[in-house]
Structures are given as C-alpha cells and as structure tokens.
C-alpha cells in the first residue's frame, strides 16, 4: 500500500497520509516519500494548490515509535542529524513550506508530534474543533527537530511556544485557534480547505507564488522583505499572467497560463 495517496482535481492536489491502521504515524520511509512527492508537485505547474490531510479522518498521530526504535535506523538517523544542512526530518516538512504554491492542511482526529510539525509547515491550517493536538516530542524524551523552530516562529508567543513544547500538553483545536496555531475551525475541514483552494485558483499562479515568497520573507528574512516586494512586483508586471488577471477581473471565463516563475 502506498504511504501517500494523491488526488488531482482542477489544479488542486490533495495529498493523503495513507497509514490509517497506524493513525497515519510517520515512518522513515514516509518521510522520504513526503520529500519525493513535494519535489514532483513543485515540477508540475498544472498544480496550483496543495491540501495535506490524512486517511480515515486522522491527520497524524506523530512519528512511528517502533520505526524510531528499530536498530537498523539508528545509524541512518545519526548521520541525518550530524551531516551539514537540513536533515531528512527537517526537509520532509519544510519542503512544503518552501513550495511555490499555497499549502493548506486539513486536520482532524490527531495531530501529534511529527503530525503537528507537518501541519505547521502549511500556509493555512483548517481543523475540526475536536482535533487533539500536541507538540509531543518531550513526552518521548526528544526535542522537536523537524523544522519547528522555523514553522512555529511568529504564530504564537515565545513563552507559550516554550510551555507547549516543554509540557507536551494535549489540547483541542479550539484552543489551537485561540492561540493562533489554527487558521479556521470547521466540522468538515477538508471541504473547507477545498473551498479556500478554489478561491485561490481565481488568482494568478505567479501572484500567489510571489505573495507567498514576500510574506515568508516578512516572517523569516525581514531584512530582505522590502527588496523582495520590489523584485517580485517587477517580475509580475512583465509577466503574462498579470495582464490575464486584469482581463479575468472583467471576464471570469478567462484562464490563466501555467505558473511562469519558479
């Protein structure tokens, strides 16, 4: 059985974590598949928005502890943590944040540990109000090492980030919405995510990419943000989809060209 299942529909790719018998817990093999899938999506310019979700109405219960404890994985994990640059554990999540298209997480059931870190790598998070959530790594004597220091930054207060990480407390998505981890609450999170994605499809794919790049810079590279505003605006002004956007504003039947920029 494939570890990920992908549905493509009208420019939207929905990526399902596909280990329902394990509450979509993540193995090392699944992490590799997340990287490979994101790379394929990045190259496919017919895809204009991604939704991340899980089979069986569960997002992910976190890392598969049996996989983590497997002696065969020990040397591999050690090398990933020692080698320069991003580890597989970081790349599998941050690669979604770095995609040139919007990424929406549709969350329900459980969103623990590695599942939380994948959800945080999305641009927008829609959750069922009863979803159980946790930055759970300290419960297992570990530290979050899947890009959390980047993806959590700016979403909630620094002291609260410490509290939730140090306690590994389980909380529901209603509380997640109150503190800023969740964008929207909805009884049907996947349907809500699809509605948001369809709204984005009415905008230029180049404008979406540029806006994502500029806003991410505002969060993570503030010294470059103003310069990127100017750079991307210049590119968009001379791009093909900018003119199409103005035509589409008067005639919704006009269709955009595939994304021009990387």
């Amino acid at each position: 059985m494939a570890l990920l299942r992908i549905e493509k529909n009208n420019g939207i790719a929905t990526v399902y974590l596909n280990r329902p018998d394990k509450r979509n817990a993540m193995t090392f093999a699944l992490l590799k598949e997340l990287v490979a899938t994101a790379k394929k999506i990045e190259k496919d310019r017919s895809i204009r928005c991604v939704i991340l979700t899980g089979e069986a109405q569960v997002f992910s219960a976190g890392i598969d502890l049996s996989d983590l404890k497997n002696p065969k994985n020990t040397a591999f994990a050690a090398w990933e943590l020692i080698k320069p640059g991003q580890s597989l554990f970081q790349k599998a999540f941050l690669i979604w944040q770095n995609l040139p298209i919007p990424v929406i997480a549709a969350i329900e059931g459980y969103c623990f540990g590695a599942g939380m870190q994948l959800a945080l790598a999305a641009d927008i998070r829609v959750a069922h109000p009863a979803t159980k959530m946790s930055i759970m790594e300290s419960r297992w004597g570990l530290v979050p090492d899947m890009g959390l220091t980047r993806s959590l930054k700016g979403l909630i207060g620094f002291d609260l980030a410490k509290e939730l990480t140090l306690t590994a407390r389980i909380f529901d998505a209603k509380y997640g919405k109150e503190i800023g981890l969740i964008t929207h609450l909805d009884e049907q999170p996947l349907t809500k995510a699809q509605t948001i994605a369809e709204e984005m499809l009415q905008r230029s794919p180049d404008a979406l990419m540029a806006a994502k790049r500029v806003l991410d810079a505002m969060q993570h590279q503030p010294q470059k943000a103003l310069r990127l505003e100017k750079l991307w605006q210049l590119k968009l002004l001379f791009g093909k989809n900018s003119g199409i956007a103005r035509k589409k504003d008067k005639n919704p039947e006009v269709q955009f060209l595939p994304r021009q920029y990387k």
Side-chain angles (χ1 to χ4, degrees), residues 48-67:
R48 296 178 51 198
C49 188
V50 177
I51 298 173
L52 295 173
T53 192
E55 295 284 13
Q57 296 180 306
V58 173
F59 191 71
S60 175
I63 199 73
D64 189 321
L65 292 177
S66 63
D67 205 53

Side-chain angles (χ1 to χ4, degrees), residues 1-222:
M1 183 174 66
L3 298 174
L4 294 177
R5 183 172 69 85
I6 304 173
E7 291 181 355
K8 297 180 183 179
N9 182 34
N10 190 33
I12 302 171
T14 304
V15 179
Y16 293 83
L17 301 178
N18 192 28
R19 299 188 75 217
D21 56 322
K22 299 293 185 179
R23 298 192 298 185
N24 298 320
M26 298 189 197
T27 60
F28 286 19
L30 178 52
L31 297 182
K32 292 176 183 177
E33 191 62 27
L34 282 169
V35 174
T37 299
K39 288 180 177 179
K40 291 177 184 177
I41 288 173
E42 184 175 18
K43 293 177 181 177
D44 186 347
R45 298 199 183 189
S46 69
I47 297 176
R48 296 178 51 198
C49 188
V50 177
I51 298 173
L52 295 173
T53 192
E55 295 284 13
Q57 296 180 306
V58 173
F59 191 71
S60 175
I63 199 73
D64 189 321
L65 292 177
S66 63
D67 205 53
L68 191 64
K69 295 174 183 176
N70 187 334
K72 295 180 180 179
N73 291 326
T74 303
F76 173 80
W79 167 244
E80 286 293 324
L81 296 172
I82 292 170
K83 73 178 187 181
Q86 290 185 6
S87 69
L88 169 66
F89 313 112
Q90 294 168 332
K91 186 180 297 182
F93 300 90
L94 294 182
I95 196 169
W96 299 94
Q97 190 176 64
N98 294 330
L99 283 182
I101 53 178
V103 178
I104 305 169
I107 309 163
E108 54 187 321
Y110 299 99
C111 184
F112 292 162
M116 173 72 86
Q117 295 192 68
L118 180 60
L120 290 174
D123 300 299
I124 295 167
R125 283 161 293 283
V126 183
H128 189 285
T131 302
K132 299 301 180 184
M133 312 181 75
S134 176
I135 303 173
M136 188 167 274
E137 284 76 6
S138 69
R139 177 171 294 202
W140 315 123
L142 301 171
V143 66
D145 68 335
M146 298 173 173
L148 185 90
T149 53
R150 176 182 172 93
S151 59
L152 186 60
K153 184 180 178 182
L155 289 181
I156 62 177
F158 187 46
D159 54 348
L160 188 52
K162 284 185 176 181
E163 180 181 335
L164 294 179
T165 302
L166 298 176
T167 62
R169 181 183 303 139
I170 296 173
F171 54 92
D172 63 28
K174 290 182 180 178
Y175 180 71
K177 177 69 168 64
E178 289 176 14
I179 64 176
L181 283 178
I182 296 301
T183 316
H184 301 286
L185 295 175
D186 200 280
E187 295 288 336
Q188 300 291 331
L190 182 55
T191 300
K192 176 67 173 180
Q194 290 167 339
T195 299
I196 296 170
E198 288 166 2
E199 188 175 0
M200 291 177 177
L201 293 185
Q202 303 307 308
R203 307 294 169 240
S204 158
D206 291 309
L208 292 178
M209 182 204 62
K212 178 171 175 174
R213 295 291 189 236
V214 169
L215 291 170
D216 282 348
M218 178 182 73
Q219 184 77 289
H220 303 295
Q221 298 174 301

Side-chain angles (χ1 to χ4, degrees), residues 224-243:
K224 295 183 179 180
L226 286 175
R227 180 166 61 85
L228 286 177
E229 281 185 21
K230 294 166 61 178
L231 176 62
W232 278 112
Q233 192 72 307
L234 186 63
K235 287 184 177 182
L236 293 178
L237 285 171
F238 287 96
K240 297 176 182 179
N241 277 318
S242 180

Side-chain angles (χ1 to χ4, degrees), residues 250-261:
K250 296 180 180 179
N251 179 8
E253 300 302 317
V254 173
Q255 298 297 310
F256 288 110
L257 296 172
R259 191 178 73 251
Q260 185 175 351
Y261 301 106

